[in-house]
């Protein structure tokens, strides 16, 4: 007899169903696992053996073979422990084989039979729901998996609880979803003295999901401005929260089974490697750009990042997806994020500050910002110089709208965009809109078109730059609740495109 149960193998954020087969045949007693297992899966037999001994269940003196099908799909991770144990228990009829066959399970076993939390419970639950099966997982993973809601999730603390459940002695209750974790945003936009133009740029970027580049002298407030961006972003909707949580689940970042409606805000250090930013390493795990999916990726001191790291951002910015290609794995992750970058104008930082003398003007700034390639700079919708704030301004009382007031305007603008692109689900914000579509939804009036044509001709705007100006102008009009893109919308959008004269990257 061949006993069967099911588990999953992860292909990016997708959980692929794996059939776990167990057979007992005459021969010298042995225990083998086949089907392209990695080292952690191969070692599962020792953990399963120790667990069954703790439960005083003796293994038969036969040849035990576990097959993980499909056999050509790589199997990685310790979450195969529990399904292997269940298949073996079904083969010796310690649990009903028909119940084991209607189950998807995952979980790591400790030597005393406890079930240890594993990554990926949320995608596994989605796979179980698609196959119309129940899910069995460790108790710590149950609240996370229960968020799917389309399948029954049973969470057990140890294998003895699993056995009592199958025997009908103490059936487990269906797990409940974990709590929604809401982050308390630090700081308010109103706390920032001066920098009204920069605060306006952040509001536009948040409303349309635009990429923003901030350049200014040290201490001008670039990082402080970026840190307040999460406080004005709208919360994740249900589908976005599920997408983002699936990436974080695979990465093992969901704690206590809770998900969040706050948009991710990732700030990798400038010493981060390509694998850390784009994804890779053992098992081709998601990188920072995928962990920032539906949120913000903030790169402070942009020119200090290695050139190869920055160049890996070019394609994901355009497509919203990243293919992590390695010798033994090709894994695709979503990575639709807002890129916010900050930089000093030169290595010493005071190229544009008249109060400080830079001995190498203008070569200092040209050499420093040349580390950021023109094609990458061209992908920023908005570029802004952040001037230093005088100490007299620091004594002024708070002014301008609060983060909550700005967030209300951002939510209203996002609602307009959601209605506009309701027939195009691949577009969520103006920044997602492709070139052909933006030409129709952001067609300016005659004066605006004439202005944009003159600027494009004189300043050498690229086709990408032309479309990005239209996207920003459309967002500015949305913030004003305007159906039409007027000349002043185009003018303001152009001002954010062509104010980076010190960088040498225009258009």
């Amino acid at each position: 007899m061949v006993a069967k149960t099911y588990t999953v193998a992860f292909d990016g954020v997708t959980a692929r169903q794996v059939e776990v087969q167990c057979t007992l045949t005459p021969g010298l007693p042995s225990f083998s696992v086949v089907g392209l297992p990695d080292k952690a899966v191969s070692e599962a037999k020792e953990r399963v053996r120790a667990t069954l001994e703790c439960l005083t269940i003796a293994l038969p003196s036969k040849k035990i073979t576990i097959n993980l099908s499909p056999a050509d799909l790589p199997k990685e991770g310790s979450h195969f422990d529990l399904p292997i144990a269940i298949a073996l228990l079904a083969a010796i009829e310690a649990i009903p084989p028909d119940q084991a066959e209607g189950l998807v399970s995952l979980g790591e076993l400790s030597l005393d039979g406890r079930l240890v939390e594993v990554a990926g419970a949320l995608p596994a639950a989605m796979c179980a729901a698609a196959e119309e099966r129940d899910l069995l997982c460790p108790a710590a993973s149950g609240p996370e998996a229960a968020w799917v809601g389309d399948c029954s999730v049973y969470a057990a603390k140890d294998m003895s609880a699993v056995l009592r459940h199958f025997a009908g002695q103490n059936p487990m209750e269906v797990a409940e979803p974990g709590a929604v974790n809401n982050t308390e945003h630090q700081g308010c936009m109103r706390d920032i003295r001066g920098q009204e133009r920069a605060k306006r740029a952040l509001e536009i970027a948040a409303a349309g999901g635009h990429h923003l580049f901030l350049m200014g002298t040290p201490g001008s407030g670039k990082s402080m401005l970026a840190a307040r961006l999460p406080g004005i972003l709208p919360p994740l909707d249900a589908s976005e929260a599920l997408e983002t949580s699936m990436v974080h689940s695979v990465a093992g970042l969901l704690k206590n089974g809770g998900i969040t409606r706050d948009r991710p805000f990732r700030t990798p250090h400038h010493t981060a490697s390509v694998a850390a930013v784009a994804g890779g390493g053992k098992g081709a795990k998601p990188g920072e750009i995928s962990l920032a999916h539906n949120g913000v990726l903030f790169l402070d001191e942009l020119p200090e990042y290695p050139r190869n790291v920055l160049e890996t951002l070019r394609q994901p910015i355009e497509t919203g997806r990243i293919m992590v290609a390695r010798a033994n794995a090709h894994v695709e992750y979503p990575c639709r994020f807002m890129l916010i970058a900050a930089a000093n104008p030169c290595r010493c930082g005071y190229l544009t500050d008249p109060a400080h003398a830079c001995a190498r003007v203008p070569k200092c700034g040209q050499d420093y910002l040349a580390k950021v390639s023109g094609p990458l700079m061209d992908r920023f919708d908005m570029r802004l110089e952040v001037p230093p704030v005088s100490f007299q301004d620091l004594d002024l009382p708070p002014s301008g709208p609060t983060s909550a007031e700005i967030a209300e305007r951002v939510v209203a603008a996002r609602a307009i965009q959601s209605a506009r692109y309701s027939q195009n689900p691949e577009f969520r914000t103006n920044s997602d809109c492709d070139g052909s579509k933006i030409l129709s939804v952001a067609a300016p009036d005659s004066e605006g078109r004439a202005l944009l044509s003159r600027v494009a001709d004189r300043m050498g705007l690229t086709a990408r730059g032309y479309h990005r100006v239209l996207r920003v102008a459309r967002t500015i009009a949305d913030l004003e609740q305007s159906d039409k893109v007027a000349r002043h919308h185009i003018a303001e959008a152009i001002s954010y495109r062509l104010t980076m004269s010190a960088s040498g990257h225009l258009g």
Side-chain angles (χ1 to χ4, degrees):
M1 183 188 82
V2 177
K4 300 178 183 178
T5 190
Y6 295 90
T7 187
V8 295
F10 297 106
D11 182 10
V13 295
T14 303
R16 297 179 58 182
Q17 181 174 271
V18 173
E19 184 178 282
V20 183
Q21 306 164 353
C22 178
T23 183
L24 307 177
T25 56
L28 292 175
S30 64
F31 193 158
S32 59
V33 180
V34 298
L36 214 57
D38 72 346
K39 185 66 173 176
V41 181
S42 297
E43 291 174 345
K45 57 188 179 184
E46 302 302 332
R47 293 188 289 271
V48 170
R49 191 192 303 274
T51 295
L52 296 185
E53 288 180 358
C54 286
L55 297 173
T56 65
I57 297 177
L59 292 178
S61 299
K62 292 186 178 182
K63 182 178 181 181
I64 302 171
T65 304
I66 301 290
N67 179 45
L68 307 175
S69 176
D72 60 346
L73 177 67
K75 319 299 188 307
E76 299 177 347
S78 59
H79 67 275
F80 285 88
D81 291 6
L82 180 57
I84 289 174
I86 289 176
L88 178 54
L89 290 170
I92 63 177
E93 299 185 348
I95 61 176
D98 58 332
Q99 293 188 34
E101 196 166 344
L103 196 67
V104 173
S105 60
L106 77 166
E108 178 184 332
L109 289 171
S110 62
L111 296 182
D112 58 1
R114 288 180 295 109
L115 289 175
V116 181
E117 181 181 9
V118 291
L122 191 61
M126 295 191 68
C127 177
E131 298 296 330
E132 298 183 348
R133 292 188 171 91
D134 296 336
L135 179 74
L136 177 63
C137 63
S141 302
E144 173 189 333
W147 277 106
V148 173
D150 292 332
C151 69
S152 297
V153 176
Y154 298 100
K157 292 183 177 180
D158 50 38
M159 277 302 296
S160 62
V162 173
L163 287 174
R164 290 195 300 270
H165 172 76
F166 281 112
Q169 297 174 354
N170 188 14
M172 291 182 286
E173 295 184 356
V174 176
E176 295 293 331
V180 177
N181 300 321
N182 293 316
T183 303
E184 187 71 25
H185 298 298
Q186 299 297 318
C188 177
M189 201 71 78
R190 188 179 173 87
D191 298 334
I192 300 175
R193 305 298 192 268
Q195 306 296 10
E196 299 304 321
R197 180 170 167 78
K199 289 190 278 188
R200 168 68 173 172
L202 279 176
E203 179 179 345
I204 295 170
H210 301 292
H211 307 304
L212 174 63
F213 181 82
L214 302 171
M215 187 183 76
T217 56
S220 58
K222 304 182 296 296
S223 300
M224 183 171 62
L225 285 161
R228 278 150 176 78
L229 182 59
I232 66 174
L233 287 171
L236 295 166
D237 62 31
S239 62
E240 289 175 332
L242 185 59
E243 289 177 6
T244 304
S245 297
M246 286 180 65
V247 178
H248 289 197
S249 176
V250 170
L253 298 182
L254 293 185
K255 301 301 181 184
N256 301 320
I259 66 172
T260 180
R261 300 296 291 270
D262 295 323
R263 295 184 181 272
F265 186 80
R266 306 292 300 185
T267 58
H269 192 260
H270 61 257
T271 57
S273 65
V274 172
V277 173
K282 187 179 185 301
K285 295 298 183 182
E288 291 291 336
I289 61 175
S290 296
L291 297 175
H293 181 56
N294 290 322
V296 178
L297 179 68
F298 176 47
L299 302 183
D300 203 1
E301 307 296 343
L302 185 69
E304 299 294 342
Y305 284 81
R307 180 68 176 264
N308 60 340
V309 171
L310 294 182
E311 293 308 299
T312 60
L313 300 176
R314 287 162 57 174
Q315 184 180 7
I317 286 174
E318 296 290 339
T319 63
R321 306 195 73 80
I322 177 71
M323 175 65 75
V324 181
R326 298 294 182 265
N328 60 346
H330 288 72
V331 181
E332 186 178 66
Y333 291 106
C335 58
R336 192 173 299 279
F337 57 89
M338 283 177 59
L339 176 60
I340 308 297
N344 295 324
C346 63
R347 182 169 293 281
C348 71
Y350 296 103
L351 178 71
T352 58
D353 189 349
H356 295 76
C358 181
R360 298 182 61 244
V361 174
K363 187 172 175 57
C364 177
Q366 293 172 348
D367 291 346
Y368 186 64
L369 290 174
K371 296 179 180 180
V372 183
S373 68
L376 178 59
M377 188 65 71
D378 196 40
R379 284 164 166 80
F380 285 99
D381 302 309
M382 306 169 66
R383 310 165 187 174
L384 188 70
E385 292 188 25
V386 182
V389 179
S390 66
F391 68 89
Q392 293 93 342
D393 291 339
L394 298 178
D395 293 331
L396 296 175
S399 63
T402 64
S403 291
E405 293 169 343
I406 297 175
E408 290 180 3
R409 297 199 293 260
V410 169
V411 168
R414 289 275 184 121
I416 292 173
Q417 295 167 55
S418 179
R420 176 184 299 130
Y421 303 123
S422 59
Q423 302 302 317
N424 303 94
E426 69 274 18
F427 305 148
R428 295 179 178 175
T429 61
N430 289 327
S431 64
D432 298 332
C433 189
D434 62 21
S436 60
K437 181 71 173 177
I438 200 65
L439 291 174
S440 61
V441 301
D445 59 19
S446 57
E447 293 182 354
R449 185 179 295 106
L451 173 63
L452 183 55
S453 297
R454 289 198 303 271
V455 171
D457 182 54
R458 294 179 184 178
M459 305 304 294
L461 278 178
T462 64
R464 181 187 290 118
Y466 184 89
H467 290 148
R468 290 186 183 275
V469 168
L470 286 177
R471 292 186 181 106
V472 174
R474 179 66 266 176
T475 299
I476 296 171
D478 290 340
L479 283 169
E480 295 182 3
Q481 309 287 308
S482 173
D483 294 332
K484 300 294 185 181
V485 176
R487 185 181 188 277
H488 68 279
H489 301 141
I490 294 291
E492 184 175 1
I494 290 172
S495 72
Y496 294 120
R497 187 75 187 177
L498 301 179
T499 55
M500 295 296 294
S501 57
S503 72
H505 297 304
L506 294 178

